[in-house]
Amino acid sequence: MEPTPLTEPISLTAALASFSERWSPRIVTAVNDYDVRVAKVEGEHVWHAHDHTDEFFLVLDGELHIGLREPAGERTVVLPKGSVFTVPRGVEHKPYAPVPTQILLFEPTGTLTVGDRHDPVPGHVDATTGHALP
């Protein structure tokens, strides 16, 4: 019988090696009602907002920039490898990776990658609630 996320450790390295698509997260495990997702990203995502949940980012490799539209104006946060950042619920944001980057996301199960409100979704962005690992 193959190991399941509930009984065996999951290698993030193996999980990330199992797919190549960009901006198309895979669900590696769940914690209560939250998914832990990994994704490979490069280039721009889309401006979007999650009205009912914060969004947690951990940069495993590479560098992630997140544009934020806040009441005081627009700004960009830069997350080098090993950095974490949480986008508060309701804040419009746009992730961008200037180099191939690997990230871990923590958000409620069923949360769309393009949020509740978003600009038109480009073809290279997968509007999904996450995919199972192969």
Side-chain angles (χ1 to χ4, degrees):
M1 180 177 197
E2 292 207 0
T4 66
L6 299 176
T7 61
E8 296 295 328
I10 296 173
S11 163
L12 292 181
T13 301
L16 285 158
S18 72
F19 66 98
S20 60
E21 296 85 3
R22 302 287 191 246
W23 301 111
S24 185
R26 300 305 193 264
I27 301 167
V28 293
T29 191
V31 179
N32 298 317
D33 298 332
Y34 283 75
D35 288 339
V36 179
R37 304 173 185 176
V38 292
K40 295 179 177 181
V41 299
E42 185 176 12
E44 294 188 356
H45 193 264
V46 61
W47 281 105
H48 67 284
H50 302 276
D51 291 332
H52 306 289
T53 185
D54 301 335
E55 187 171 18
F56 172 87
F57 293 86
L58 164 63
V59 178
L60 300 169
D61 193 36
E63 181 177 280
L64 185 68
H65 299 201
I66 303 175
L68 302 165
R69 290 180 175 156
E70 299 172 313
E74 279 191 25
R75 70 179 175 115
T76 299
V77 294
V78 177
L79 287 72
K81 179 180 177 177
S83 296
V84 299
F85 185 77
T86 300
V87 176
R89 70 189 71 210
V91 173
E92 284 186 274
H93 59 287
K94 181 179 184 178
Y96 167 76
V99 298
T101 298
Q102 298 176 347
I103 60 175
L104 182 141
L105 303 153
F106 188 72
E107 49 198 352
T109 299
T111 300
L112 274 173
T113 56
V114 294
D116 302 302
R117 297 176 281 120
H118 55 80
D119 283 353
V121 180
H124 69 278
V125 171
D126 185 8
T128 180
T129 58
H131 300 283
L133 287 172

